[in-house]
Amino acid sequence: MRGSRSGTGTRGAPRGLSGSSGDTEGVGMKPLYRQVRDTLIRRMVDGVWAPGEPLPSEMQLAADLGVSQGTVRKALDEMASENLVVRRQGRGTFVARHDEDRILFQFFKLVANDGTRHFPDSRVLSIGKAKASAAEAEMLRLDRGDRVVRIRRVRMVDAVPLLVESLTLPDGLFPGLTEKELPNNLYGLYSARYGITVARATEKLRAVSSSEEDAAVLGVPSGAPALLIDRLAFSLDEVPVEWRVSLCLTTGFHYLSDLT
């Protein structure tokens, strides 16, 4: 079914897109700017542009994809709002990289009660490989018998333990991860070494009592109140790449979620 023409589209099937000329193609099809967004993300996943690298100009992308500059601009604006790209006035649009500032504001939600933000240091407690448990396989969409990497580490602010976290990653996506020293910024490592960009994450929060093991790491009495954050992180192409469960002390800190 042919779609209607709009102000941001062009006649004829856009090159490189599975769409048509208008804002939509047929019932249930995505708007054209969303098709452009998906195409650009696919190219990022395929390594056409690495984190930190500039994208072609809006004019070049429009010519390449057979759409108007307005359609490309709308797609890039949405990608910028999703923190997938960074728009720099006078310089162009760049693939977002996982530096500490980005992670601090997008993925680390614990804020000191005085409003200051701190990127925590970390110390690895254990790391190893094993067959995925039933829960791990379900969360990470793995098959029975697939292997995972398990990491346990403590995060600290000013050398004071703030949280202890357990991470599970598909071993097939991160070969050799256990063989080298892990940096503090894991998302930066995923991007730089494995070409995997964490684009978004879902989190579930609940109040719990600290176990004896976790309390010993955090230096608090067993049973001390804590906040449990259960996070599942997804790559640009919506593949779950990390399951992270963090137990956080909230004395002096709170969880801040910006809903704007």
Side-chain angles (χ1 to χ4, degrees), residues 152-173:
R152 181 171 166 82
R153 63 180 187 167
V154 60
R155 312 295 301 277
M156 300 161 288
V157 172
D158 295 331
V160 178
L162 174 62
L163 61 94
V164 59
E165 57 188 14
S166 299
L167 300 87
T168 306
L169 302 89
D171 182 46
L173 293 180

Side-chain angles (χ1 to χ4, degrees), residues 7-67:
T8 58
T10 58
R11 290 195 183 276
R15 295 184 294 276
L17 298 177
S18 58
S20 71
S21 59
D23 275 350
T24 60
E25 180 192 2
V27 177
M29 293 298 290
K30 292 182 179 179
L32 187 56
Y33 80 92
R34 293 283 297 183
Q35 296 178 44
V36 170
R37 169 194 173 275
D38 292 349
T39 297
L40 297 180
I41 288 176
R42 170 49 55 188
R43 293 184 181 182
M44 290 162 60
V45 171
D46 291 342
V48 175
W49 309 299
E53 289 186 352
L55 272 64
S57 68
E58 291 178 1
M59 182 180 298
Q60 290 173 303
L61 289 172
D64 177 38
L65 298 174
V67 299

Side-chain angles (χ1 to χ4, degrees), residues 91-166:
R91 297 182 58 192
T93 302
F94 296 76
V95 180
R97 66 167 75 243
H98 278 298
D99 56 26
E100 292 190 355
D101 285 341
R102 180 189 175 197
I103 294 175
L104 183 60
F105 288 95
Q106 184 179 358
F107 293 109
F108 192 77
K109 302 295 186 179
L110 290 179
V111 180
N113 288 342
D114 63 6
T116 58
R117 292 177 179 264
H118 304 269
F119 191 77
D121 296 319
S122 62
R123 176 168 56 88
V124 175
L125 302 174
S126 63
I127 181 170
K129 297 182 182 182
K131 287 186 178 180
S133 67
E136 290 169 333
E138 180 179 2
M139 292 295 289
L140 296 171
R141 302 177 194 166
L142 301 176
D143 294 327
R144 182 186 298 272
D146 283 352
R147 295 180 67 79
V148 295
V149 176
R150 293 176 182 157
I151 303 169
R152 181 171 166 82
R153 63 180 187 167
V154 60
R155 312 295 301 277
M156 300 161 288
V157 172
D158 295 331
V160 178
L162 174 62
L163 61 94
V164 59
E165 57 188 14
S166 299

